[in-house]
mmCIF file of all heavy atoms in Angstrom:
data_model
loop_
_atom_site.group_PDB
_atom_site.id
_atom_site.type_symbol
_atom_site.label_atom_id
_atom_site.label_comp_id
_atom_site.label_asym_id
_atom_site.label_seq_id
_atom_site.Cartn_x
_atom_site.Cartn_y
_atom_site.Cartn_z
ATOM 1 N N GLY A 1 2.262 0.912 -45.948
ATOM 2 C CA GLY A 1 0.901 1.181 -45.566
ATOM 3 C C GLY A 1 0.096 -0.067 -45.215
ATOM 4 O O GLY A 1 -1.137 0.020 -44.934
ATOM 5 N N LEU A 2 0.715 -1.195 -45.168
ATOM 6 C CA LEU A 2 0.073 -2.496 -44.788
ATOM 7 C C LEU A 2 0.530 -2.926 -43.477
ATOM 8 O O LEU A 2 1.715 -2.920 -43.149
ATOM 9 C CB LEU A 2 0.358 -3.584 -45.895
ATOM 10 C CG LEU A 2 -0.117 -3.278 -47.317
ATOM 11 C CD1 LEU A 2 0.498 -4.322 -48.245
ATOM 12 C CD2 LEU A 2 -1.619 -3.200 -47.368
ATOM 13 N N ARG A 3 -0.400 -3.384 -42.595
ATOM 14 C CA ARG A 3 -0.076 -3.867 -41.261
ATOM 15 C C ARG A 3 0.716 -5.151 -41.352
ATOM 16 O O ARG A 3 0.441 -5.986 -42.208
ATOM 17 C CB ARG A 3 -1.340 -4.118 -40.527
ATOM 18 C CG ARG A 3 -1.166 -4.562 -39.106
ATOM 19 C CD ARG A 3 -2.462 -4.600 -38.383
ATOM 20 N NE ARG A 3 -2.112 -5.130 -37.000
ATOM 21 C CZ ARG A 3 -2.889 -5.962 -36.370
ATOM 22 N NH1 ARG A 3 -4.121 -6.273 -36.907
ATOM 23 N NH2 ARG A 3 -2.569 -6.421 -35.193
ATOM 24 N N THR A 4 1.722 -5.287 -40.541
ATOM 25 C CA THR A 4 2.481 -6.502 -40.488
ATOM 26 C C THR A 4 1.947 -7.398 -39.345
ATOM 27 O O THR A 4 1.523 -6.958 -38.329
ATOM 28 C CB THR A 4 3.955 -6.249 -40.216
ATOM 29 O OG1 THR A 4 4.180 -5.505 -39.020
ATOM 30 C CG2 THR A 4 4.569 -5.536 -41.360
ATOM 31 N N HIS A 5 1.999 -8.694 -39.627
ATOM 32 C CA HIS A 5 1.653 -9.692 -38.650
ATOM 33 C C HIS A 5 2.892 -10.589 -38.509
ATOM 34 O O HIS A 5 3.470 -11.023 -39.546
ATOM 35 C CB HIS A 5 0.442 -10.554 -39.092
ATOM 36 C CG HIS A 5 -0.709 -9.768 -39.361
ATOM 37 N ND1 HIS A 5 -1.617 -9.282 -38.412
ATOM 38 C CD2 HIS A 5 -1.206 -9.202 -40.538
ATOM 39 C CE1 HIS A 5 -2.560 -8.520 -38.952
ATOM 40 N NE2 HIS A 5 -2.315 -8.474 -40.247
ATOM 41 N N ILE A 6 3.249 -10.937 -37.280
ATOM 42 C CA ILE A 6 4.491 -11.744 -37.062
ATOM 43 C C ILE A 6 4.136 -13.176 -36.694
ATOM 44 O O ILE A 6 3.364 -13.430 -35.853
ATOM 45 C CB ILE A 6 5.336 -11.113 -36.047
ATOM 46 C CG1 ILE A 6 5.714 -9.648 -36.359
ATOM 47 C CG2 ILE A 6 6.612 -11.973 -35.772
ATOM 48 C CD1 ILE A 6 6.330 -8.891 -35.247
ATOM 49 N N LEU A 7 4.718 -14.090 -37.437
ATOM 50 C CA LEU A 7 4.553 -15.547 -37.155
ATOM 51 C C LEU A 7 5.918 -16.088 -36.864
ATOM 52 O O LEU A 7 6.830 -16.030 -37.672
ATOM 53 C CB LEU A 7 3.945 -16.297 -38.332
ATOM 54 C CG LEU A 7 3.924 -17.818 -38.215
ATOM 55 C CD1 LEU A 7 3.009 -18.192 -36.996
ATOM 56 C CD2 LEU A 7 3.409 -18.444 -39.486
ATOM 57 N N VAL A 8 6.122 -16.517 -35.552
ATOM 58 C CA VAL A 8 7.353 -17.205 -35.202
ATOM 59 C C VAL A 8 7.099 -18.683 -35.354
ATOM 60 O O VAL A 8 6.197 -19.248 -34.778
ATOM 61 C CB VAL A 8 7.746 -16.790 -33.794
ATOM 62 C CG1 VAL A 8 8.941 -17.640 -33.283
ATOM 63 C CG2 VAL A 8 8.082 -15.333 -33.702
ATOM 64 N N ILE A 9 7.993 -19.349 -36.119
ATOM 65 C CA ILE A 9 7.976 -20.760 -36.275
ATOM 66 C C ILE A 9 9.052 -21.287 -35.364
ATOM 67 O O ILE A 9 10.228 -21.254 -35.607
ATOM 68 C CB ILE A 9 8.307 -21.213 -37.733
ATOM 69 C CG1 ILE A 9 7.206 -20.554 -38.601
ATOM 70 C CG2 ILE A 9 8.290 -22.671 -37.865
ATOM 71 C CD1 ILE A 9 7.698 -19.473 -39.456
ATOM 72 N N ASP A 10 8.595 -21.781 -34.240
ATOM 73 C CA ASP A 10 9.463 -22.391 -33.197
ATOM 74 C C ASP A 10 9.815 -23.829 -33.561
ATOM 75 O O ASP A 10 8.941 -24.652 -33.536
ATOM 76 C CB ASP A 10 8.763 -22.279 -31.821
ATOM 77 C CG ASP A 10 9.553 -23.014 -30.722
ATOM 78 O OD1 ASP A 10 10.796 -23.017 -30.826
ATOM 79 O OD2 ASP A 10 8.915 -23.412 -29.780
ATOM 80 N N ASP A 11 11.079 -24.058 -33.878
ATOM 81 C CA ASP A 11 11.506 -25.379 -34.359
ATOM 82 C C ASP A 11 11.986 -26.280 -33.242
ATOM 83 O O ASP A 11 13.124 -26.721 -33.257
ATOM 84 C CB ASP A 11 12.639 -25.119 -35.380
ATOM 85 C CG ASP A 11 12.908 -26.297 -36.268
ATOM 86 O OD1 ASP A 11 11.963 -27.261 -36.260
ATOM 87 O OD2 ASP A 11 13.903 -26.412 -36.899
ATOM 88 N N GLY A 12 11.085 -26.521 -32.267
ATOM 89 C CA GLY A 12 11.409 -27.470 -31.188
ATOM 90 C C GLY A 12 12.231 -26.939 -30.047
ATOM 91 O O GLY A 12 12.865 -27.649 -29.339
ATOM 92 N N SER A 13 12.206 -25.645 -29.859
ATOM 93 C CA SER A 13 12.972 -25.070 -28.737
ATOM 94 C C SER A 13 12.477 -25.485 -27.386
ATOM 95 O O SER A 13 11.265 -25.844 -27.200
ATOM 96 C CB SER A 13 12.827 -23.525 -28.823
ATOM 97 O OG SER A 13 13.323 -22.989 -29.983
ATOM 98 N N ARG A 14 13.381 -25.584 -26.463
ATOM 99 C CA ARG A 14 13.053 -25.946 -25.032
ATOM 100 C C ARG A 14 13.386 -24.857 -24.080
ATOM 101 O O ARG A 14 13.301 -24.983 -22.901
ATOM 102 C CB ARG A 14 13.792 -27.200 -24.629
ATOM 103 C CG ARG A 14 13.427 -28.425 -25.474
ATOM 104 C CD ARG A 14 14.108 -29.642 -24.933
ATOM 105 N NE ARG A 14 14.344 -30.581 -26.027
ATOM 106 C CZ ARG A 14 14.949 -31.734 -25.916
ATOM 107 N NH1 ARG A 14 15.274 -32.138 -24.689
ATOM 108 N NH2 ARG A 14 15.064 -32.477 -26.904
ATOM 109 N N ASP A 15 13.752 -23.731 -24.634
ATOM 110 C CA ASP A 15 14.250 -22.568 -23.799
ATOM 111 C C ASP A 15 13.228 -21.478 -23.582
ATOM 112 O O ASP A 15 13.513 -20.444 -22.998
ATOM 113 C CB ASP A 15 15.531 -22.022 -24.340
ATOM 114 C CG ASP A 15 15.258 -21.261 -25.677
ATOM 115 O OD1 ASP A 15 14.179 -21.395 -26.256
ATOM 116 O OD2 ASP A 15 16.203 -20.546 -26.119
ATOM 117 N N GLY A 16 11.975 -21.664 -23.942
ATOM 118 C CA GLY A 16 10.993 -20.614 -23.786
ATOM 119 C C GLY A 16 10.833 -19.668 -24.953
ATOM 120 O O GLY A 16 10.162 -18.701 -24.822
ATOM 121 N N THR A 17 11.379 -20.039 -26.088
ATOM 122 C CA THR A 17 11.291 -19.211 -27.294
ATOM 123 C C THR A 17 9.884 -18.913 -27.617
ATOM 124 O O THR A 17 9.499 -17.725 -27.905
ATOM 125 C CB THR A 17 11.992 -19.877 -28.487
ATOM 126 O OG1 THR A 17 13.356 -19.901 -28.218
ATOM 127 C CG2 THR A 17 11.787 -19.154 -29.806
ATOM 128 N N ALA A 18 8.960 -19.903 -27.603
ATOM 129 C CA ALA A 18 7.619 -19.624 -27.975
ATOM 130 C C ALA A 18 6.850 -18.682 -27.033
ATOM 131 O O ALA A 18 6.126 -17.797 -27.419
ATOM 132 C CB ALA A 18 6.808 -21.011 -28.075
ATOM 133 N N ASP A 19 7.166 -18.879 -25.693
ATOM 134 C CA ASP A 19 6.619 -17.902 -24.699
ATOM 135 C C ASP A 19 7.076 -16.495 -24.921
ATOM 136 O O ASP A 19 6.291 -15.588 -24.802
ATOM 137 C CB ASP A 19 6.931 -18.412 -23.285
ATOM 138 C CG ASP A 19 6.360 -19.803 -22.944
ATOM 139 O OD1 ASP A 19 5.265 -20.014 -23.430
ATOM 140 O OD2 ASP A 19 6.999 -20.458 -22.166
ATOM 141 N N VAL A 20 8.375 -16.276 -25.206
ATOM 142 C CA VAL A 20 8.886 -14.954 -25.446
ATOM 143 C C VAL A 20 8.191 -14.372 -26.761
ATOM 144 O O VAL A 20 7.791 -13.168 -26.675
ATOM 145 C CB VAL A 20 10.397 -14.996 -25.614
ATOM 146 C CG1 VAL A 20 10.941 -13.702 -26.183
ATOM 147 C CG2 VAL A 20 11.105 -15.299 -24.334
ATOM 148 N N ALA A 21 8.052 -15.147 -27.751
ATOM 149 C CA ALA A 21 7.390 -14.679 -28.981
ATOM 150 C C ALA A 21 5.961 -14.217 -28.717
ATOM 151 O O ALA A 21 5.596 -13.115 -29.067
ATOM 152 C CB ALA A 21 7.380 -15.750 -30.000
ATOM 153 N N ARG A 22 5.237 -15.032 -27.928
ATOM 154 C CA ARG A 22 3.822 -14.635 -27.590
ATOM 155 C C ARG A 22 3.853 -13.402 -26.743
ATOM 156 O O ARG A 22 2.929 -12.523 -26.897
ATOM 157 C CB ARG A 22 3.157 -15.820 -26.864
ATOM 158 C CG ARG A 22 2.746 -16.913 -27.826
ATOM 159 C CD ARG A 22 1.895 -18.024 -27.049
ATOM 160 N NE ARG A 22 1.924 -19.230 -27.783
ATOM 161 C CZ ARG A 22 2.704 -20.255 -27.696
ATOM 162 N NH1 ARG A 22 3.685 -20.220 -26.752
ATOM 163 N NH2 ARG A 22 2.628 -21.276 -28.425
ATOM 164 N N ALA A 23 4.712 -13.327 -25.816
ATOM 165 C CA ALA A 23 4.737 -12.144 -24.904
ATOM 166 C C ALA A 23 4.994 -10.862 -25.678
ATOM 167 O O ALA A 23 4.631 -9.780 -25.218
ATOM 168 C CB ALA A 23 5.808 -12.339 -23.879
ATOM 169 N N HIS A 24 5.633 -11.009 -26.883
ATOM 170 C CA HIS A 24 5.928 -9.800 -27.676
ATOM 171 C C HIS A 24 4.851 -9.621 -28.807
ATOM 172 O O HIS A 24 5.043 -8.840 -29.759
ATOM 173 C CB HIS A 24 7.367 -9.841 -28.312
ATOM 174 C CG HIS A 24 8.330 -9.596 -27.275
ATOM 175 N ND1 HIS A 24 8.834 -10.520 -26.435
ATOM 176 C CD2 HIS A 24 9.025 -8.458 -26.965
ATOM 177 C CE1 HIS A 24 9.733 -9.948 -25.627
ATOM 178 N NE2 HIS A 24 9.867 -8.688 -26.016
#
């Protein structure tokens, strides 16, 4: 019954991991 919030900790990726996370 509690809303989830997702935090992706991008550990220095250079492949667009952070952009994909934000897009989702």
